[in-house]
Amino acid sequence: MNIYMLVISSLLFLFIAGNAFYVAFKIYEEDDDFTFNTLTWIELIFSVLLLISEKFAPKTYHIVIFKIFSFLFGIFFLGLTVLLWILFTYYKFLCF
């Protein structure tokens, strides 16, 4: 894997994880719709997470469940970034 491709994919994954952590730790207000002015497919992912939490959780807990889902989503993408860097360094170590 090229180092430039690794850096670009890491920045993209960290951007997604940062948005997920922002949603997870943001103080909830009544008129929040959890949309950003960023990429529309990220809004689509968070709207699906919000829909899942609204359908399968009670009304009083769906925001808490949504914040837990978004935190786990951020951890997943952070873990993907770390895994990419570990695999890249391991591959470089084996080749030299």
Side-chain angles (χ1 to χ4, degrees):
M1 178 186 277
N2 193 354
I3 186 71
Y4 301 117
M5 202 60 191
L6 178 68
V7 169
I8 290 171
S9 62
S10 294
L11 288 175
L12 180 67
F13 287 161
L14 289 176
F15 177 72
I16 295 170
N19 278 335
F21 289 137
Y22 171 74
V23 168
F25 295 117
K26 180 182 170 190
I27 296 174
Y28 176 69
E29 298 170 3
E30 280 297 319
D31 58 345
D32 276 346
D33 57 353
F34 298 107
T35 59
F36 313 107
N37 293 325
T38 58
L39 302 173
T40 57
W41 54 274
I42 294 175
E43 290 181 12
L44 176 71
I45 291 170
F46 283 112
S47 65
V48 167
L49 288 176
L50 185 62
L51 179 73
I52 290 170
S53 68
E54 285 176 350
K55 294 294 181 186
F56 296 113
K59 183 74 173 164
T60 56
Y61 297 120
H62 80 86
I63 295 298
V64 174
I65 300 295
F66 171 68
K67 287 184 177 270
I68 290 171
F69 280 163
S70 64
F71 179 76
L72 291 175
F73 187 71
I75 290 291
F76 175 73
F77 273 98
L78 189 63
L80 268 176
T81 306
V82 169
L83 182 66
L84 277 177
W85 279 95
I86 288 172
L87 289 175
F88 178 76
T89 56
Y90 182 71
Y91 177 73
K92 285 295 183 181
F93 178 71
L94 286 178
C95 288
F96 289 117

